[in-house]
Amino acid sequence: SSKVNLRNTDIVIAEFPKSGITYITNIINEIRLSISDIKITSNYYNTELFVYDIDTSDNVPDQSNIFPYNIRFIKTHKYPPKGNRHAIYILRNPAHVMRSYYLFLNNNNVIDRNTISFSDFIRSSTYGIKSWSKHYLEWMNFKGKLHIIIYENVIENPYEEISILLKNIGWKINDKVINNAIKHSDIKNMQVMDQLYRTRCPSRNYNFVNSSSKFIIDRDDLAYIKKETKQTLLKYKLPISKNNLEFYFK
């Protein structure tokens, strides 16, 4: 568990890997930067200067001299950290998570697609769908104040979903700031930012905004994922839009 000394005003943003945290945090960063006096935009290179990753460092500096409201945003892919009272959990279709995570780990040489098939991967106790389910249930049992963001809902209607989040946090942000942050973080702009980062980072041999949708999940593998996750997802009433129900329960 993290050794970070969390404050009551900290908000932890959590996800199982490859659920959309970079996209969501980029929008949040851009809103926070817009309402501060700092003339900076959020991108791949600098995002963790504003939303700190406690999976990689215990050092979370004070931000009160940068951002209003004295709220620190902190991200994690792990279980709820000790002392955490406020959290945002990003939930994405588990089949798409598995696909994206599989390709991401292969691109980072953590696994090899030539020796580990997707079928093996989703059944792995370390990376697979049972690990996803455990992570999800740990966060659904979080004892603090939790706000769930459905990734597909944000893709479908980003203004509505981000506005609901801001309302829950209690921030009064004008529509122009919200819409500008969403536009700044859309897929085309994120691909441009990704490309800029990659051209100046010699070890970066993959796209963060990837084309995982081109990877087709086998029917039997998809059936296994649905079988392993359906009851888990039905356990709690989730704010999934009607248009996105098929992603989870088709």
Side-chain angles (χ1 to χ4, degrees):
S1 62
S2 172
K3 297 178 181 178
V4 175
N5 185 20
L6 295 175
R7 306 170 181 168
N8 288 335
T9 54
D10 289 338
I11 297 178
V12 171
I13 308 174
E15 67 154 13
F16 188 88
K18 309 309 294 178
S19 296
I21 200 167
T22 301
Y23 173 52
I24 302 299
T25 55
N26 201 69
I27 295 174
I28 293 171
N29 278 344
E30 198 61 22
I31 290 171
R32 296 168 75 210
L33 289 165
S34 295
I35 60 177
S36 73
D37 294 326
I38 303 176
K39 305 304 179 184
I40 299 175
T41 58
S42 177
N43 57 44
Y44 282 116
Y45 186 83
N46 69 17
T47 184
E48 289 179 7
L49 299 177
F50 313 117
V51 175
Y52 299 98
D53 188 342
I54 58 172
D55 296 345
T56 59
S57 175
D58 291 333
N59 180 27
V60 181
D62 180 76
Q63 294 182 326
S64 59
N65 61 330
I66 302 175
F67 296 115
Y69 314 122
N70 195 27
I71 294 175
R72 299 186 303 181
F73 282 82
I74 298 163
K75 75 173 186 177
T76 184
H77 297 100
K78 298 181 180 179
Y79 300 129
K82 186 178 180 180
N84 182 203
R85 298 306 306 154
H86 298 84
I88 298 166
Y89 188 77
I90 303 169
L91 176 64
R92 183 185 181 191
N93 176 348
H96 295 175
V97 170
M98 288 290 105
R99 177 175 60 191
S100 186
Y101 196 26
Y102 178 65
L103 296 175
F104 176 78
L105 292 177
N106 177 73
N107 288 334
N108 280 275
N109 300 314
V110 177
I111 63 170
D112 183 352
R113 287 174 65 180
N114 294 318
T115 57
I116 300 176
S117 69
F118 183 71
S119 292
D120 293 335
F121 180 81
I122 62 175
R123 291 165 174 82
S124 160
S125 60
T126 303
Y127 305 114
I129 204 65
K130 289 184 178 179
S131 178
W132 178 91
S133 294
K134 182 179 179 182
H135 188 274
Y136 169 73
L137 290 173
E138 284 279 351
W139 277 100
M140 290 308 100
N141 290 319
F142 175 65
K143 301 305 180 185
K145 296 179 179 178
L146 183 68
H147 180 102
I148 298 174
I149 289 182
I150 307 293
Y151 174 78
E152 289 79 16
N153 288 4
V154 181
I155 295 300
E156 179 186 89
N157 194 340
Y159 175 80
E160 179 179 350
E161 292 300 314
I162 297 301
S163 295
I164 291 171
L165 170 64
L166 295 172
K167 186 175 182 180
N168 217 3
I169 295 174
W171 289 5
K172 294 182 178 180
I173 308 295
N174 68 56
D175 290 351
K176 183 178 179 180
V177 169
I178 298 172
N179 284 320
N180 283 343
I182 292 167
K183 183 178 180 180
H184 175 80
S185 306
D186 69 16
I187 187 68
K188 290 183 179 180
N189 282 330
M190 291 185 78
Q191 286 174 335
V192 170
M193 288 187 281
D194 189 18
Q195 177 66 14
L196 173 63
Y197 177 34
R198 198 155 48 92
T199 58
R200 295 292 173 164
C201 182
S203 62
R204 181 70 169 270
N205 60 359
Y206 63 93
N207 293 322
F208 207 96
V209 183
N210 60 40
S211 54
S212 63
S213 59
K214 295 179 181 178
F215 180 92
I216 305 301
I217 301 175
D218 178 86
R219 183 181 298 177
D220 290 340
D221 289 336
L222 186 59
Y224 171 77
I225 292 170
K226 289 181 177 180
K227 173 177 168 290
E228 290 294 322
T229 61
K230 187 170 183 178
Q231 292 307 314
T232 300
L233 288 166
L234 286 171
K235 188 172 182 179
Y236 299 95
K237 186 176 181 179
L238 298 169
I240 302 173
S241 72
K242 290 182 179 179
N243 290 340
N244 288 318
L245 281 173
E246 63 177 283
F247 278 104
Y248 295 84
F249 307 125
K250 186 176 179 180

